Each structure stands twice: as C-alpha cells, then as structure tokens.
Amino acid sequence: MLSISKRGIAMPPSPIRKLVPYAEAAKKKGIQVYHLNIGQPDIETPQPVLDAVRHSNFKVLAYSHSAGNESYRKKLTEYYQRKGITVTKDEIIVTTGGSEAILFAFMACLDAGDEVIIPEPFYANYNGFAVEAGVTVVPVTASIENGFALPSIAAFEAKITPKTKAILICNPNNPTGYLYTAAEMEALKNLVLKYQLYLFSDEAYREFCYEGTHIRAMHLKGIDEHVVLMDTISKRYSACGGRIGALVTKNKTVLDAVMKFAQARLSPPSFAQIAGEAAVDLPDNYFDAIKEEYQRRRDIIVQRLNAMPGVHCPNPGGAFYAMAALPVKDAENFCQWLLESFEYKGHTVMLAPAGGFYQTPGLGKNEVRLAYVLNQNDLHAAMDCLEAALKQYPDKTI
Amino acid sequence: MLSISKRGIAMPPSPIRKLVPYAEAAKKKGIQVYHLNIGQPDIETPQPVLDAVRHSNFKVLAYSHSAGNESYRKKLTEYYQRKGITVTKDEIIVTTGGSEAILFAFMACLDAGDEVIIPEPFYANYNGFAVEAGVTVVPVTASIENGFALPSIAAFEAKITPKTKAILICNPNNPTGYLYTAAEMEALKNLVLKYQLYLFSDEAYREFCYEGTHIRAMHLKGIDEHVVLMDTISKRYSACGGRIGALVTKNKTVLDAVMKFAQARLSPPSFAQIAGEAAVDLPDNYFDAIKEEYQRRRDIIVQRLNAMPGVHCPNPGGAFYAMAALPVKDAENFCQWLLESFEYKGHTVMLAPAGGFYQTPGLGKNEVRLAYVLNQNDLHAAMDCLEAALKQYPDKTI
C-alpha cells in the first residue's frame, strides 16, 4: 500500500489554517476582515529596494554562489557592522528566507532524536522544521504574568538532558514581542557555556525595538563558537516574498556543514539577493520612521486592549506582535466566532489563537496573538470590533 | 563538547567542489577555462520573462500563497495541458526550485531508513536530499555500453526490500542525457504497481528531447496515485537563479502532507513566480530555436568525442549532457590535470568526473560528464583542447 511518511503525518499544519475557511466565508458575506493574525507587514517595501531589481540588466537569470552572491555577502558585513556585529563574508551563508536558516541550523547541529530547548510560546513553524530534521522541541514556559520574560535558568536546567544540543531564542520575540534584557542574555551565555550547547538566535525583528537595548547574541563575549544567528530581510524591509535570509556564525565546522546543505539546493533566489544588497544602502534614518510607526501602533493596541474589561496585554518591547489574555474560555472558539457569527459595522477581526504557539498542551487557551501590521485607523477600528465582540460573546469568564 | 550532526558529516560535498580551486588557479595564470562541468545554460533568459519582473508594479513584496500564487498555478495548468498533462491548480505546489520538490517528495513519502531506488549514474544532489531526509538511496546500475538505457526490471526487483518506497527517475536524464522509451516507462509503471511504490519523476529537461518521444510519467495510465512529478523552470527557460519549481501529483494524501512542509517555509520566491507565469505565455515556437541549438551542440560534442582515439560517447536523446568514457585510468585525476598542468592555445576545459554520479564505489572511474552549455565555436575549441590533452596526458589506458 502507498502511504505517506510518519513525518508527513506528524508535520503540524499552519495553526491559523483552521480559521482560514471562516475568514473566507465572512468575506463572501461582505464583511471586511481586519487581519491581525499574520506577520505580513503592510509597510511598503522601500522603493530603492524594488527598483534595484526592476532596473537590473543581466541577460541570464543564473545560479548564484551557493552561499549567496559574494557582492551581497560583502555588503551584508557592512550592515552587520552597523549593528555592532563584526563578521566576514565567509561567515555568512545567504539562505532562502529565515526559514531555511532555521532548517539548516537544525540539520547541521542536531541529529534525529536530539533536543532543542525553546521558551514557549514560540514561532509555530519551529515545530515544522524540527519535524523535518527529526529534532525534539523541549519547551520552557514563559508566562504572560511577567510579560513573557525569559524563564528562570533553573527551569532551563531542569530540561537539559544528554540529548540537549541547543537553545533557540527569538529576540525580540515572535509571538510575544518580548525583548530579552542584557542580564537575561548574559544568563543564557553562561548556560550554553556550562552545558556546551549551541545558542540559536532568531533576530528577524532586530530593527524593531521600542524599549531598552537589543543585545545581539553575537555581542556576547566568549561564545563565538556557540552562536548561530538566523536572520532574514523579510520583516526588516517588508520583503517577505523575496525569501532571503542568512545563517551567520563564527563556528567554522558549522559553516562547512551548512555549506554542504546549501550546495545541495544550489543557490538562494537571485532576484531578491539584488533587493537585499540594495537595502543595505538605505539611509540610516530609514528605520526611524518605520519604527516610530510600529511603536505608535503598539501603543494603540496595548492601550486599547488593557482598557477592555478582563483583558491583559503586557507591553511588548519589540517586534510587531502582542499577546493578550482575553476573558474567554477558549480563544480558538472565540476567534472562530469572530469570523463566523460576529460583525460590527460590517467589520470583524481575525486573530491568532495562542494555543498554536505553545508546545505544552492546554497552555495559552485564553490568549491570542495580535500582529500590528495595519495602519493606525484600521487598528482603532479593529479594536472597536474586538471591544464590541467581547461585550457580545457568550462564553466569557467574567 | 559542541559537535555537528552525523548528517552534517554524512552530507556529501558538491562532487565538482574539489576541482574548483584548480580552476581558479588556472584562471589566475591567465588560462581561459571552458566550463563543461555544470548545467548552467548560457542561453539567455527570454526577455518577456525578465521584463515581467522588471515591469511589475506592486508596492509590497509580500508572501505568496504557500502553494504559490493562484494565478501562477492556474497558468501552469495551461503549460502542462500543452505537454499532455491534465492537472488542476490544486494538484500543483510551487516549490523553491526543483530542489525543494525533491526534498518535499522524499520528506512526505519516505521516513528515515526507507529506501528509494535510483538508476545510476544519477544527479549527485539526490544524495544530499536523501541525507537530509534520512532516506537510503539504492542504486541500480545503468551502463555506458548500452547508452545508459533503463537497467532490467529484474535488476530493480533484486533491490526491492520491505523498506523500498519509491523509484526515482530523471527523464531525460541528468547526467547521461538518456531518454527513456515508451517500453521502459511501461515497465516502470508495472513495477510500481506490482510493489506499490511511488514513481518520482524529475522532468527538469522535458523540453530538450532530440530523438523519439518524451513519455511523461503522468502519461502512464492507472498509476495516478503513484506518480510525483518534480519540475523546475530552471533549465526550461534558462532561469536557474529564480529558484522556482513545482511538485505535481494527483495523490491527495501526498499533496496534503507536502502542503504542510510548504506552509512551514511560508512561500516560494515572489519575484520569480512572476517570471514563471510570464514564461507560460512565450510563443509555441520559443523552444524550437533553443532545441535546435542544443541539438547542434550535442552533435558537435558527440561527433568530436567519438572521433578521439579510445573515447566512447553514446548519443544522448535529451537534456544537455553527455557522458563519455575516456582512455584514462582515473577521470578525476585527468580533470585535475586538465586544470593544473595543461593548456592548449591559452585554454583548457573543465569537466565533471563521473564518479560523483555513481553510488556504487569504483564505477564511472574512466567517465566524465559534459554539459553542452557553450556556443558552438566555444564547444569546438573545448573539443580541440580535450583532443590535444588526451594526446599529451601520461596516465592513459591506450
């Protein structure tokens, strides 16, 4: 009998996938849906970045170097230098999105059955890449009560086994928006040194920090061999569709192994490497306006959410996500109800139920993630919807 | 201790990688190297295909649908229809190059420890994807003596075990250029039916057939559930850097599983999907001129090679590769010598030693693969080099 693989069965579907048919049905009824459920920025891709591709004049759309165009990797070293990260072009492997950097790091550093510890809630697709690599994700639970701060080091240590090979953090965090402090980063450094672990650092949202200072994993002294940076231009320049990321490390053995994975798939996409290279030359103040915009949006949703009875939303220090605890028994049912049975002035709102971001069953049942990727007016309108919805929703806890 | 994974160690490096430093050194000495070692076509990417990207006017480079843009998948159904393949847009998942289609098929249909049978010599990167998926490649040996025809069905059956889940063919073949006959395809059909196996069909070179008829795997009657087509626009439109391919199957269970892998990596590259969509509208005669050009080149190298004493090169029916047996003891040494110690009128030639295309150790030791991706004048010049080299080379068998 033909059958699919166990991993094909184990592979988790997109956590918001279940809700998509309800959103489509709502739209068919003429209801406008405010999408706060996905991290697709509405911010325009910078014109010079798109123009670099549109004005390109090569004749053959050829394979690039498997590690990415040399000119792009050289340019990226300038970008990283400005972020206080000193690397050479040979310490950068350009990947097909941040996604591929995650998969390559898992594949090169962990074997099937090995364990990676990740603070939960976490970006749901880490699970997918873990299934592909046969790696076991071990969660350490962060809590909305203290704003999703790093769990205690004791909590990490309680989960470390001989199979533990790496700790993965996303900083600032998707889905919580939490920005790890210098003290937390230092504690992680000591932990990976003590147990000889890799520190995988997903810094997709590096540019978007509103409180305090972003400590890059590569700023930590004395753990150069341990750190593998997983990066992407997707959020940085609103260039999600380009599928350009990077794996950056000073660990030569890891680089050599990753390079073999990179060679097997030949090269990262050529068009978007041109875009990525041009993006490095954007003026220094490019991010100022974007950051200001995101910060205003964050302020809107945090204020509006916390003003709703029974809602708690910690103030996220970075990224463009916020997690909120709602006074509902089951956030997934509520999100479905929003799309299926509710409207306010012809509108409704689509949220991501937080359950999909937790590994431990049952956690996050009353939580949702909101991506503030709509303009301020729309965000206010979306909050009006949510406020009205929470008044009407029957299955509340208050 | 930090260590990399076993699969990171097992991952095969690019088989031509060892020769690259020698090619670079030759170039530094001022020697012009004719590259017959890689399948990067020199043919220009069609102008309308590049123009579609250059004239695009979107504002946000957004994620596409994880299965690829709906408009592109619809368009692809027209392309496939013209090739006699009737599929719906929902039976197509756009992938990041043909590479990802191969990886997804392995991941979705086979578990770690399962076996896929592949006629050797074969495209070396199948090994890389097999290592990533933990899959064991079981070779069935084709022979240069009969032009790399499909090995006997008995030879396949001798390799089938309870762990065998799939047979993978590349048709027309890379590296041999062999075009499978209708009778061979029919025999494969009966085999996958008898043993309930998947038939993975890599048809990257579908357009480039010079003798006989290309039988698509999806033309075979009664095995719709078994066939997974791995496709790419890379060679078809000289668009290797776009990184756009497709996994096509009528097996709904496989599609559902592959879709989960596709969702984890979010989307295939957006720019090159635009290119791919425009390519479907190229006039019908677009391939005529390209095919004619490749055929002329094939004729040149086959004639020139077979005219050299002790050289045997079967006439390939398709793709843009030819395999040749040379009168040398070790083709890898010979290829290195060509770059390191030889020149003819300021030129030399880089070939791919065939050993890297065989799984069985020791096979292909006197064979090389030639990609005819240079213009006819350069091909003649490259053949002049090779002819002169074989006269001078000390370690010959004749």
Side-chain angles (χ1 to χ4, degrees), chain B residues 250-268:
Chain B
K250 295 192 167 284
N251 183 316
K252 183 78 172 56
T253 316
V254 172
L255 280 170
D256 287 347
V258 169
M259 195 56 204
K260 294 191 285 181
F261 292 100
Q263 284 172 338
R265 60 73 163 125
L266 304 170
S267 72

Side-chain angles (χ1 to χ4, degrees), chain B residues 39 66 73 94 109 111 126 148-149 153 212 216-217 305 313 324 327 364:
Chain B
S66 293
R73 284 180 288 133
V94 177
C109 299
D111 272 304
Y126 295 149
F148 299 105
I153 293 302
R216 342 275 185 213
L305 284 166
C313 174

Side-chain angles (χ1 to χ4, degrees), chain A residues 376-397:
Chain A
Q376 299 174 45
N377 282 342
D378 284 354
L379 272 186
H380 271 298
M383 291 300 108
D384 292 345
C385 275
L386 187 58
E387 194 166 29
L390 284 171
K391 282 180 189 152
Q392 281 181 37
Y393 187 60
D395 206 17
K396 278 206 294 283
T397 52

Side-chain angles (χ1 to χ4, degrees), chain A residues 152-164:
Chain A
S152 74
I153 293 303
F156 278 92
E157 287 190 304
K159 296 291 183 83
I160 290 175
T161 76
K163 289 194 164 293
T164 309

